[in-house]
Amino acid sequence: MKIKKVLTVFGIIVILAVLSGFIHSDDKIPEENKVKTEVNDQSATTVQTEKSQVNTLDAREGIERFFSFTGFANATWGHIIMIVVGLVFIFLAIRFDYEPLLLIPIGVGVLIGNIPFMLDAGLQIGVYEDGSVMNYLYYGVRYGIYPPLIFLGIGAMTDFSSLISNPRLMLLGAAAQVGIFITFLGALTLGFHPAEAGAIGIIGGADGPTAIFLSSKLANGLNVIGQTALGDPIYVKNLIGPIAIAAYSYMALVPVIQPPIMKLLTNEKERVIRMKPPRSVTKLEKILFPIIGLLLTGFISPSSLPLLGMLFFGNILKESGVTRRLAETSRNALIDIVTIVLGITVGASTQADVFLTSESILIFILGALSFMVATAGGIIFAKVMNLFLAKDNKINPLVGAAGVSAVPDSARVVQNEGLKADPSNHLLMHAMAPNVSGVIGSAVAAGILLSFLL
């Protein structure tokens, strides 16, 4: 036990001696080393200070960079105006039920297309930026892919019985196309290139898919229409967005635009004319009509085949009775999907920096005049036809207003105006004849313009 105590005490003494040596060695450090140590300490402090300043600058630059990418930093009055336009479209669709299947997708598309972002930053957001999702979806608009698919669905929905039973009403649909050619001349007068004028004129048909199809061929921003003095190419303006928005806007506003014109051009006596009920149509007639129509319109205007070919194909699916699944898909799932994508991309194409131009304002003015002239053309031609018809076989002039291609909205407007004049006079079935013939007529007119102007 004593030996262990001695060893323990000895160990403690050794430890204390060692610690004492270290303490004294620190006291004996030369002054030079102390100076060096102080300098090193000061340098370390300086470096740490500089690092903290750099970190502060990096944080500030990061915040500034983040803000520069936000919509708040890139917003302009143009973006605000277009966002308001998109909200108005959505409001009209929900509050007044104006073509909600079209105006809501378009309205949301306008909002998407006008969220401000930094241009040329490689973000791949905008509909006009290569590689963006919206740009890929817009491909179907720019190259006219979506309109034929829309026509396929329309064909699978349409019943041509009223037109087959009373073929003379097809003339009213043809007469309403006068608005297209008058607007074409007006656009030429205002200085638009013939290709651009042709695309603008088609708005008078009140047929959105046809307007998109023709503008994608004639006013797409890709076609060369001349050269500068230096030999550089001059491209046609890209008017797809303004033309599509104008066409769909006037389609939605059919219940607002047409009634005043109908009342102005007809009197009370004409509005109460009763037309003979349409005869029944056989299944064979329903099957033969789209086949004959396809061949006839194709030979008259081959350029209209992408539209009318799909229209009559869809109708054959419907009337054949043996392709119900295909007909159901065409008039439901397919047309709904295409309508969604078409509406979103057309709306997104209205970026403020592209859409808000003097040309867009002129297009909307010309489009309104075109639609009014088309409505008036159908009504006036019906009154002219009545001059040569027997008293018991007259046409109610209101039916002529349905000659525009807004199916079935124009026919519904005719029905409503007819009921106001005579609550027992139902004109819907009669109005459907010029209405569906207007679809065919506007597509033929588009084909004629395309063959002359492309």
Side-chain angles (χ1 to χ4, degrees), residues 149 152-158 313-337:
L149 297 177
L152 174 63
I154 293 173
M157 294 179 185
T158 304
F313 171 49
N315 195 245
I316 292 171
L317 294 178
K318 173 182 180 292
E319 300 298 350
S320 67
V322 294
T323 54
R324 292 178 182 174
R325 285 175 52 192
L326 299 181
E328 286 291 334
T329 301
S330 299
R331 63 173 167 256
N332 291 309
L334 179 61
I335 196 170
D336 288 345
I337 292 170

Coordinates of all heavy atoms in Angstrom, one line a residue, residues 149 152-158 313-337:
L149 N -59.2 18.8 -86.8 CA -59.7 18.0 -85.7 C -61.0 18.5 -85.1 O -61.9 17.7 -84.8 CB -58.7 17.8 -84.6 CG -57.4 17.1 -85.1 CD1 -56.4 17.1 -83.9 CD2 -57.6 15.7 -85.6
L152 N -63.7 17.6 -87.5 CA -64.1 16.2 -87.4 C -65.2 16.1 -86.3 O -66.2 15.4 -86.5 CB -62.9 15.4 -87.1 CG -63.1 13.9 -86.7 CD1 -63.7 13.2 -87.9 CD2 -61.8 13.2 -86.3
G153 N -65.0 16.7 -85.2 CA -65.9 16.7 -84.1 C -67.2 17.3 -84.5 O -68.3 16.8 -84.2
I154 N -67.2 18.5 -85.2 CA -68.4 19.2 -85.6 C -69.2 18.3 -86.6 O -70.4 18.2 -86.5 CB -68.0 20.5 -86.3 CG1 -67.5 21.5 -85.2 CG2 -69.3 21.1 -86.9 CD1 -66.9 22.8 -85.8
G155 N -68.5 17.6 -87.5 CA -69.2 16.7 -88.4 C -69.9 15.6 -87.7 O -71.0 15.2 -88.1
A156 N -69.3 15.1 -86.7 CA -69.9 14.0 -85.9 C -71.0 14.4 -85.1 O -71.8 13.6 -84.6 CB -68.8 13.3 -85.0
M157 N -71.2 15.7 -84.9 CA -72.3 16.3 -84.1 C -73.5 16.7 -85.0 O -74.6 16.8 -84.5 CB -71.8 17.6 -83.3 CG -70.8 17.3 -82.2 SD -70.4 18.9 -81.5 CE -69.2 18.5 -80.4
T158 N -73.2 17.1 -86.2 CA -74.1 17.8 -87.0 C -75.1 16.9 -87.7 O -74.8 15.9 -88.2 CB -73.4 18.6 -88.1 OG1 -72.4 19.5 -87.5 CG2 -74.3 19.5 -88.9
F313 N -66.2 13.6 -93.1 CA -65.8 12.3 -92.6 C -66.5 12.1 -91.2 O -67.0 11.0 -90.9 CB -64.3 12.2 -92.4 CG -63.7 11.1 -91.6 CD1 -64.2 9.8 -91.9 CD2 -62.8 11.2 -90.6 CE1 -63.7 8.7 -91.2 CE2 -62.3 10.2 -89.9 CZ -62.8 8.9 -90.2
G314 N -66.5 13.1 -90.4 CA -67.1 13.0 -89.1 C -68.6 12.7 -89.2 O -69.2 11.9 -88.5
N315 N -69.2 13.3 -90.2 CA -70.7 13.1 -90.4 C -70.9 11.7 -90.9 O -72.0 11.1 -90.6 CB -71.2 14.1 -91.4 CG -72.7 14.2 -91.4 OD1 -73.4 13.9 -92.4 ND2 -73.3 14.6 -90.3
I316 N -70.1 11.2 -91.8 CA -70.2 9.8 -92.2 C -70.1 8.8 -91.0 O -70.9 7.8 -90.9 CB -69.1 9.4 -93.3 CG1 -69.4 10.2 -94.6 CG2 -69.1 7.9 -93.6 CD1 -68.3 10.1 -95.6
L317 N -69.2 9.1 -90.1 CA -69.1 8.3 -88.9 C -70.4 8.3 -88.1 O -70.8 7.3 -87.6 CB -68.0 8.8 -88.0 CG -66.5 8.7 -88.5 CD1 -65.6 9.3 -87.5 CD2 -66.2 7.2 -88.8
K318 N -71.0 9.4 -88.1 CA -72.3 9.6 -87.3 C -73.5 8.9 -88.1 O -74.2 8.1 -87.4 CB -72.6 11.1 -87.2 CG -74.0 11.3 -86.6 CD -74.3 12.8 -86.5 CE -75.6 13.2 -85.9 NZ -76.7 12.7 -86.7
E319 N -73.6 9.1 -89.3 CA -74.8 8.6 -90.1 C -74.7 7.2 -90.5 O -75.7 6.5 -90.8 CB -75.0 9.5 -91.3 CG -75.3 11.0 -91.0 CD -76.5 11.2 -90.1 OE1 -77.3 10.3 -89.9 OE2 -76.7 12.3 -89.6
S320 N -73.5 6.6 -90.6 CA -73.4 5.3 -91.1 C -74.0 4.3 -90.1 O -74.5 3.2 -90.5 CB -71.9 4.9 -91.3 OG -71.2 4.9 -90.0
G321 N -74.0 4.6 -88.8 CA -74.6 3.7 -87.8 C -73.7 2.5 -87.4 O -74.1 1.8 -86.5
V322 N -72.6 2.4 -88.0 CA -71.7 1.2 -87.7 C -70.4 1.6 -87.1 O -69.5 0.8 -86.8 CB -71.4 0.4 -89.0 CG1 -72.7 -0.3 -89.5 CG2 -70.8 1.2 -90.1
T323 N -70.2 2.9 -86.9 CA -69.0 3.4 -86.3 C -69.3 4.3 -85.1 O -68.8 5.4 -85.0 CB -68.1 4.2 -87.3 OG1 -68.9 5.2 -87.9 CG2 -67.6 3.3 -88.4
R324 N -70.2 3.8 -84.2 CA -70.7 4.6 -83.1 C -69.6 5.0 -82.2 O -69.5 6.1 -81.7 CB -71.8 3.9 -82.4 CG -73.1 3.8 -83.2 CD -74.1 3.0 -82.5 NE -75.3 2.8 -83.3 CZ -76.4 2.1 -83.0 NH1 -76.4 1.4 -81.8 NH2 -77.4 2.0 -83.8
R325 N -68.6 4.1 -81.9 CA -67.5 4.4 -81.0 C -66.7 5.5 -81.6 O -66.3 6.5 -80.8 CB -66.7 3.2 -80.8 CG -67.3 2.1 -79.9 CD -66.5 0.9 -79.8 NE -65.1 1.2 -79.5 CZ -64.1 0.3 -79.6 NH1 -64.4 -1.0 -80.0 NH2 -62.9 0.6 -79.2
L326 N -66.4 5.5 -82.8 CA -65.6 6.5 -83.5 C -66.3 7.9 -83.5 O -65.8 8.9 -83.2 CB -65.2 6.2 -84.9 CG -64.3 4.9 -85.0 CD1 -64.0 4.7 -86.5 CD2 -63.1 5.0 -84.2
A327 N -67.6 7.8 -83.7 CA -68.4 9.0 -83.7 C -68.5 9.6 -82.3 O -68.4 10.8 -82.2 CB -69.8 8.7 -84.3
E328 N -68.7 8.8 -81.3 CA -68.8 9.2 -79.9 C -67.4 9.9 -79.5 O -67.4 10.9 -78.9 CB -69.1 8.1 -79.0 CG -70.5 7.6 -79.1 CD -71.5 8.7 -78.5 OE1 -71.1 9.5 -77.6 OE2 -72.7 8.7 -78.9
T329 N -66.3 9.2 -79.9 CA -65.0 9.8 -79.5 C -64.8 11.1 -80.2 O -64.3 12.1 -79.6 CB -63.9 8.8 -80.0 OG1 -64.1 7.6 -79.3 CG2 -62.5 9.4 -79.6
S330 N -65.2 11.2 -81.5 CA -65.0 12.5 -82.3 C -65.8 13.6 -81.7 O -65.2 14.7 -81.6 CB -65.4 12.2 -83.7 OG -64.6 11.2 -84.3
R331 N -67.0 13.4 -81.3 CA -67.9 14.5 -80.9 C -67.8 14.8 -79.4 O -68.4 15.7 -78.9 CB -69.3 14.3 -81.3 CG -70.0 13.1 -80.7 CD -71.5 13.1 -81.1 NE -72.1 11.8 -80.8 CZ -72.5 10.9 -81.7 NH1 -72.2 11.1 -83.0 NH2 -73.1 9.8 -81.4
N332 N -67.1 13.9 -78.7 CA -67.0 14.1 -77.2 C -65.5 14.3 -76.8 O -65.0 15.4 -76.7 CB -67.6 13.0 -76.5 CG -69.1 13.0 -76.6 OD1 -69.8 14.0 -76.4 ND2 -69.7 11.8 -77.0
A333 N -64.8 13.2 -76.6 CA -63.5 13.3 -76.0 C -62.5 14.1 -76.9 O -61.8 14.9 -76.4 CB -62.9 11.9 -75.7
L334 N -62.5 13.7 -78.2 CA -61.5 14.3 -79.1 C -61.7 15.8 -79.2 O -60.8 16.6 -79.0 CB -61.6 13.7 -80.5 CG -60.6 14.3 -81.5 CD1 -59.2 14.1 -81.1 CD2 -60.8 13.6 -82.9
I335 N -62.9 16.3 -79.5 CA -63.2 17.7 -79.7 C -63.0 18.5 -78.4 O -62.5 19.6 -78.4 CB -64.6 17.9 -80.3 CG1 -64.6 19.4 -80.9 CG2 -65.7 17.7 -79.3 CD1 -65.9 19.6 -81.7
D336 N -63.3 17.8 -77.3 CA -63.1 18.5 -76.0 C -61.6 18.7 -75.7 O -61.2 19.8 -75.3 CB -63.7 17.7 -74.8 CG -65.2 17.7 -74.9 OD1 -65.8 18.6 -75.5 OD2 -65.8 16.9 -74.2
I337 N -60.8 17.7 -75.9 CA -59.3 17.8 -75.7 C -58.7 18.9 -76.6 O -58.0 19.8 -76.2 CB -58.6 16.5 -75.9 CG1 -59.0 15.5 -74.8 CG2 -57.1 16.7 -76.0 CD1 -58.6 14.1 -75.1

